Amino acid sequence: MSHLTLGDVVAILEQHYPPATAEEWDAVGLVAGDPEQPVRSIALAVDPTEETAREALELGAGLLLTHHPLYLRGTSSVAATSPKGRVVHQLIRGGCGLYTAHTNADAAIDGVNEALADLIGLQGRRPIAPHEEGGTTGSGRIGELPEPMPLRTFAELVAQVLPATAQGIRVGGDLEAEVRTVALCGGAGDSLLGAVRELGADVYLTADLRHHPASEHLAEGKPYLVDATHWASEWPWLPRAAALLDEAARTRGATLEVHVSTRVTDPWALTVGGSTP
Ligand SMILES: [Zn+2]
């Protein structure tokens, strides 16, 4: 069996997640690694942290593929005196590359929002903000549940299909009202609150919602809000990207192991004292 080079893997990834479809402010692509080096194993994680880098190295991975960029705003130092610099050192010392697919992975057909939509069985889905009129790629997704259900039941479904976290799922709105049209956006999605109301969604599933935008939004009615953690709402992309890399390697007759990290990289370790009045 042959193997892939890092350059081969980058080409596969860029076919599915074209860097040109990333937002202008984003920083996607190859962060570290030599395109000539062989890659026999890939680790996938939402965040490039010292812990996920260590996990990749323990597996002997030649590439760590993450959703979030390591340096979103650029830097003048990668010294091992900061956590990010230590990630760079750890990876290079261990012969492991780092590649980021962020807003280009959000928008794609094989992307973050499609993976999330699959988990809740969303039908007739389309982007909330398509890249082009009637197109299938773009920000967020909106579609219909196979059957209407009370908001409370929908939230329970979301809790069931997403990986468990300390926060769990927060729900805003009339818990007994029926919902069917669902808008969703993995990660922090408050910038789409206006768009999902205009599209007539019954409920909006996203993450990282804050007091003022959320309560001012709900004061005007639907869509109700279902708020997961940032990590949980983006994690479902990892198995999908892993399967795609596995399939691409097989097609090329190359051996490749893929490993999806299940380490929760949300900053929260615990919630206490929660109760529903
Ligand atoms: Zn994110």
Side-chain angles (χ1 to χ4, degrees):
M1 291 283 261
S2 65
H3 61 259
L4 300 174
T5 63
L6 180 55
D8 294 331
V9 176
V10 167
I12 294 164
L13 288 169
E14 300 198 339
Q15 203 182 320
H16 293 272
Y17 311 110
T21 59
E23 302 284 339
E24 226 164 83
W25 49 263
D26 208 355
V28 303
L30 195 60
V31 180
D34 178 350
E36 304 282 311
Q37 78 185 41
V39 173
R40 295 182 177 86
S41 165
I42 298 178
L44 295 94
V46 171
D47 290 292
T49 63
E50 289 180 78
E51 291 77 18
T52 57
R54 196 175 307 125
E55 194 176 335
L57 294 178
E58 279 166 7
L59 288 156
L63 176 65
L64 172 60
L65 166 62
T66 65
H67 183 50
H68 290 144
L70 181 65
Y71 291 103
L72 182 61
R73 291 184 183 87
T75 185
S76 58
S77 166
V78 293
T81 49
S82 72
K84 291 184 183 194
R86 283 195 287 277
V87 169
V88 173
H89 279 70
Q90 265 178 298
L91 291 174
I92 292 177
R93 207 182 292 127
C96 184
L98 176 63
Y99 187 93
T100 298
H102 189 212
T103 51
N104 47 334
D106 287 329
I109 284 293
D110 290 305
V112 174
N113 292 307
E114 289 283 336
L116 190 53
D118 280 352
L119 286 184
I120 57 168
L122 211 59
Q123 299 175 338
R125 69 184 77 153
R126 57 212 180 275
I128 293 168
H131 283 154
E132 55 198 56
E133 182 87 21
T136 53
T137 62
S139 303
R141 292 296 182 268
I142 183 167
E144 279 74 46
L145 295 170
E147 297 290 334
M149 59 180 76
L151 174 62
R152 179 192 296 274
T153 311
F154 174 71
E156 285 164 356
L157 167 72
V158 171
Q160 205 174 58
V161 297
L162 288 188
T165 59
Q167 176 196 292
I169 304 295
R170 301 187 296 180
V171 190
D174 179 351
L175 298 177
E176 307 315 324
E178 296 258 298
V179 297
R180 181 154 201 184
T181 302
V182 178
L184 59 84
C185 177
D190 60 5
S191 65
L192 293 175
L193 279 169
V196 298
R197 168 164 286 145
E198 238 167 72
L199 291 170
D202 297 322
V203 59
Y204 182 37
L205 165 60
T206 186
D208 280 357
L209 289 174
R210 290 172 300 144
H211 175 87
H212 288 294
S215 48
E216 284 164 24
H217 167 87
L218 284 173
E220 294 194 51
K222 290 202 295 188
Y224 304 131
L225 301 175
V226 172
D227 181 273
T229 72
H230 199 120
W231 175 84
S233 67
E234 298 182 331
W235 183 88
W237 171 62
L238 303 182
R240 193 179 177 118
L244 173 158
L245 287 163
D246 181 60
E247 174 66 27
R250 271 171 216 278
T251 316
R252 289 162 176 78
T255 36
L256 182 69
E257 279 182 27
V258 288
H259 169 82
V260 171
S261 173
T262 54
R263 177 182 295 276
V264 182
T265 49
D266 285 323
W268 321 120
L270 176 69
T271 50
V272 291
S275 69
T276 306

